[in-house]
Amino acid sequence: GPSDEYSVQLRNSVGAIIHTRKLPFQPKYVSMGTNHLTAANDRTVYVWQFQAGPSGTAGTSGSAAIDQVVSGRNSQSKERIFDIETIAYSQAQPLETFKLSTEALLNPISCITISDKYLMIGRKSGVITRFTLPHLSSENEYYTLGNAEPFRIELSCLSSRLGVIDASGVFTILDLDARPSTEPTDLE
């Protein structure tokens, strides 16, 4: 019900809670990268940029970076949220100003994944949108084979390829660096 509260926790290597963030919706999908955590339901996408080391890389020992996150001194630590239906003409916003929509969608989000470079969002219609981090600009769209609903997506180490498993269990790989023809490679 409306009294339900959802949150995400950042923990260190021994499991101690470093930071907790409240979510204004029940997450259906969650993905985490070195610097970002994303959570989504059918239409709302939350992105938390929680840690950036000296050159945009997260310090693995990173206790100084972690201390900065805890004390809130790290200007890089920020949360943003957007609606998948309106992101084309409005930007991701801070949580305080965002108006949550609970209207059902014909083309809901079906999976998400995040890396240090991209946030990828798959939708029921077979379209997968690539957003560039950290500014969350919608940059490119890809389509699954036969416009099948993507069920699970994962980025490669260098964020140059996207593995896609569709709702019928077919696995394909999209080359994100390829020039416009974004036909997936079928690996059956």
Side-chain angles (χ1 to χ4, degrees):
S3 64
D4 292 347
E5 215 170 67
Y6 303 96
S7 63
V8 285
Q9 295 175 336
L10 181 62
R11 293 173 180 249
N12 65 13
S13 56
V14 292
I17 299 168
I18 293 161
H19 227 301
T20 301
R21 292 283 200 253
K22 285 188 176 22
L23 293 180
F25 61 88
Q26 179 176 3
K28 242 176 140 172
Y29 314 103
V30 179
S31 179
M32 187 173 170
T34 319
N35 302 62
H36 297 85
L37 178 137
T38 185
N41 63 11
D42 287 345
R43 67 178 302 154
T44 310
V45 182
Y46 164 89
V47 179
W48 175 20
Q49 182 179 352
F50 54 79
Q51 177 192 355
S55 60
T57 58
T60 38
S61 61
S63 61
I66 294 295
D67 292 341
Q68 281 188 325
V69 172
V70 174
S71 65
R73 285 193 312 271
N74 188 350
S75 60
Q76 291 302 97
S77 178
K78 63 179 171 185
E79 300 170 281
R80 277 162 310 161
I81 191 166
F82 64 88
D83 188 306
I84 196 70
E85 284 292 278
T86 60
I87 191 64
Y89 51 87
S90 75
Q91 288 181 304
Q93 297 165 35
L95 268 68
E96 307 79 61
T97 57
F98 183 76
K99 265 193 71 58
L100 194 70
S101 172
T102 52
E103 252 179 85
L105 284 189
L106 284 171
N107 187 18
I109 293 170
S110 60
C111 52
I112 59 174
T113 191
I114 201 162
S115 71
D116 294 346
K117 283 171 76 173
Y118 305 127
L119 164 64
M120 308 290 296
I121 299 177
R123 298 181 72 182
K124 193 180 169 94
S125 65
V127 68
I128 298 169
T129 308
R130 175 171 85 181
F131 294 85
T132 306
L133 296 169
H135 40 279
L136 285 175
S137 53
S138 164
E139 189 184 75
N140 216 330
E141 287 191 337
Y142 306 87
Y143 299 89
T144 57
L145 274 176
N147 295 332
E149 177 182 344
F151 171 73
R152 174 132 189 221
I153 53 177
E154 293 292 336
L155 283 155
S156 64
C157 300
L158 300 174
S159 301
S160 57
R161 290 189 167 75
L162 183 76
V164 181
I165 299 173
D166 70 29
S168 58
V170 176
F171 175 66
T172 54
I173 294 177
L174 294 172
D175 182 352
L176 303 186
D177 297 337
R179 295 295 133 237
S181 169
T182 52
E183 280 301 301
T185 318
D186 197 355
L187 292 184
E188 284 196 277

